[in-house]
Amino acid sequence: MHAIRFSTALAWLFLGLLPVSPLLGQEQDPRKRRGPVKPTPEEAAAQKKQPFFAVIESKKAVVPLGGMMDVQLKIRNNRAKKFKAVLPELSYLAARFEIAYGDRKPFVYGRFVGSDTAPSRARFFKLSAGKSEKARFKIPAVLSGSVKLTALYPTEDGKVHRSNTIELFVDGEDPLRVVMKVEDRGRVVMRFFPEQAPNTVTHFIERVLGEYYDGLVFHRVVADFVAQTGCPT
């Protein structure tokens, strides 16, 4: 059995600008929007009236297809005393995001931590009265067009707090593709279908951009049947 070393590189194929449709009234071309994208004054005022609140914003209003949406989450304790808060990290037990591309059904993006033998647990810290904590998250953009994001953050009473919703624009032309370069063998072009499996594609692209698969081997190759890779061990 011959092991084949390979590395991956994200390829944004067909990323020329989309045809610009005529402006309707004074509506601005979404590709020309400028950041940052922040909560509206009404949203910010409503959040600050709560004993605990979470808000999100983004430095950029437009991101390329296959690039990263850079989102900052801020949580604040408006109570008169400190309380135990969940550490704001990307996890299904902590901070996760509800994402909706265009008029498609939203999905929840987070991260599983731990395993069956070592279950993950939420990590806590003490958040003093009047204090806040910030965290930044980078989320792959896997479909072109408008995308709305809302942070889902658990409070100590077991409820889930919804942040404000921000809207960004993903510039590019679908479909998203990845080029896998196989050492001494050539290239494999993979096409993705985020319309049907947005969460799976988002997690995979996050791994690709993080170079998780680079330098791995095809650990199982059977002629006319399968070429298997992706396991780091």
Side-chain angles (χ1 to χ4, degrees):
M1 180 177 67
H2 299 284
I4 306 173
R5 294 190 174 275
F6 76 100
S7 63
T8 55
L10 191 65
W12 297 284
L13 304 181
F14 314 114
L15 270 188
L17 289 178
L18 296 172
V20 178
S21 58
L23 296 179
L24 300 177
Q26 300 299 316
E27 186 178 350
Q28 184 183 17
D29 181 351
R31 298 167 193 78
K32 296 181 180 179
R33 290 171 55 194
R34 294 292 181 267
V37 181
K38 296 185 176 183
T40 65
E42 293 78 15
E43 288 175 328
Q47 291 276 13
K48 290 178 180 178
K49 292 179 181 179
Q50 302 183 41
F52 169 85
F53 72 87
V55 295
I56 59 173
E57 61 182 61
S58 175
K59 289 185 177 181
K60 294 183 179 180
V62 180
V63 296
L65 179 65
M68 288 290 201
M69 299 181 283
D70 192 344
V71 181
Q72 177 178 272
L73 167 68
K74 178 182 179 181
I75 59 174
R76 181 178 175 84
N77 178 18
N78 282 339
R79 295 175 172 89
K81 59 182 181 180
K82 65 181 178 181
F83 78 105
K84 186 167 69 172
V86 179
L87 191 68
E89 56 187 353
L90 188 62
S91 165
Y92 284 111
L93 297 175
R96 53 202 190 276
F97 290 86
E98 184 181 89
I99 304 174
Y101 286 94
D103 57 0
R104 295 179 176 87
K105 181 180 178 180
F107 66 97
V108 177
Y109 172 70
R111 182 181 291 149
F112 289 107
V113 182
S115 65
D116 292 338
T117 56
S120 59
R121 301 180 186 277
R123 298 197 294 169
F124 295 89
F125 72 106
K126 295 291 186 180
L127 187 60
S128 300
K131 298 295 183 180
S132 60
E133 186 79 13
K134 296 180 181 179
R136 288 180 63 188
F137 304 96
K138 292 190 175 182
I139 304 170
V142 298
L143 276 168
S144 64
S146 171
V147 56
K148 295 180 179 179
L149 300 98
T150 307
L152 307 177
Y153 186 83
T155 52
E156 79 282 6
D157 57 4
K159 297 180 180 179
V160 176
H161 184 92
R162 294 179 64 90
S163 75
N164 59 301
T165 298
I166 59 174
E167 183 174 6
L168 309 180
F169 186 82
V170 181
D171 191 14
E173 184 174 337
D174 301 319
L176 178 65
R177 302 170 190 254
V178 165
V179 175
M180 181 174 65
K181 297 180 180 179
V182 184
E183 186 177 293
D184 299 327
R185 297 291 177 174
R187 307 192 318 163
V188 177
V189 179
M190 294 179 285
R191 175 182 173 181
F192 293 87
F193 296 87
E195 304 94 337
Q196 299 168 8
N199 217 339
T200 299
V201 174
T202 301
H203 279 87
F204 186 87
I205 298 301
E206 180 193 26
R207 292 293 182 96
V208 171
L209 293 175
E211 301 179 351
Y212 177 83
Y213 300 108
D214 287 10
L216 300 185
V217 301
F218 280 91
H219 58 274
R220 184 185 181 210
V221 179
V222 180
D224 301 319
F225 174 58
V226 68
Q228 199 167 346
T229 185
C231 178
T233 59

